Amino acid sequence: NMINNTFIDFLIKAKKSTYANSTIEKVKSSRVGSSDYHYEEKIDNKKYIYHDTYFGGTKFMGEEVVYCDSNKPVWGMNYYGVTFDDTLGEEAMDNALRPALMKVGEDKSVIPVRGISQFENNRYVYTFKTTGTIENFDGTEQIYKDNNLIYELHCSGGLIK
C-alpha cells in the first residue's frame, strides 16, 4: 500500500514547501504558460518527488503529482479555482488562502490535501470540505469576505496505478 504515514508526512511537508509558503520561488515552467513548484526528499532510501503545476490567476487550473522512487506517478490531485471578485485576487490569497494551506495536516477532520476545515483572518473566512479518502477524494474550498463568497476551488484525486 503506497499510502502510509511516511507518504502523508511527505505530502504535508511538500505542500508547506511550495505554493502555500509565500517565500518559496517557482521553478522553471514545465509547459507553456504554467507556474510550477517542485519539492523532493529522500526518505528511508526512497526518493519522493512532488510537483505542482497550474495555469491562470484569478481563474486557474492545476495538478499535483507525487512520484516515489521512479518516474512513475503514484498519487495526484487536479484542481480548478475561481476568484469571483478580481479586485481581491492576491489580497485574498495572502490573507486567507496561503495561511490556511500552511496549516495542512493540522485538522484531522479533512484529508490533508489543501488546508484545514476552517480558518479566519482579517474579515476572511476559509473553509475546506472533503469526501472519500486520500486514495480517492473530492474537495471544495471556499473563501468568504464579509460573508460574501469571493473564491471557490474544486479538487479531486487519489492513487494513480
Side-chain angles (χ1 to χ4, degrees), residues 33-85:
S34 71
S35 295
D36 293 59
Y37 291 91
H38 181 91
Y39 177 80
E40 59 184 71
E41 185 177 358
K42 194 155 187 129
I43 306 168
D44 299 331
N45 293 319
K46 289 185 178 177
K47 185 177 182 181
Y48 288 83
I49 298 171
Y50 166 91
H51 194 87
D52 178 13
T53 185
Y54 68 93
F55 299 86
T58 55
K59 291 176 176 45
F60 61 94
M61 64 179 296
E63 177 179 75
E64 299 175 11
V65 177
V66 174
Y67 303 84
C68 180
D69 238 11
S70 69
N71 290 326
K72 184 177 178 191
V74 295
W75 182 91
M77 176 177 79
N78 292 306
Y79 55 86
Y80 181 75
V82 176
T83 304
F84 300 116
D85 182 343

Side-chain angles (χ1 to χ4, degrees), residues 100-144:
L101 295 180
M102 284 300 289
K103 295 182 173 295
V104 62
E106 293 178 17
D107 181 347
K108 303 304 178 201
S109 73
V110 292
I111 300 163
V113 295
R114 292 292 290 173
I116 55 176
S117 59
Q118 186 163 327
F119 174 80
E120 296 182 35
N121 186 36
N122 292 338
R123 297 171 33 219
Y124 288 91
V125 177
Y126 166 98
T127 64
F128 183 54
K129 297 177 179 71
T130 57
T131 58
T133 68
I134 197 158
E135 296 171 349
N136 181 8
F137 67 89
D138 290 297
T140 302
E141 177 178 82
Q142 296 178 318
I143 297 175
Y144 295 83

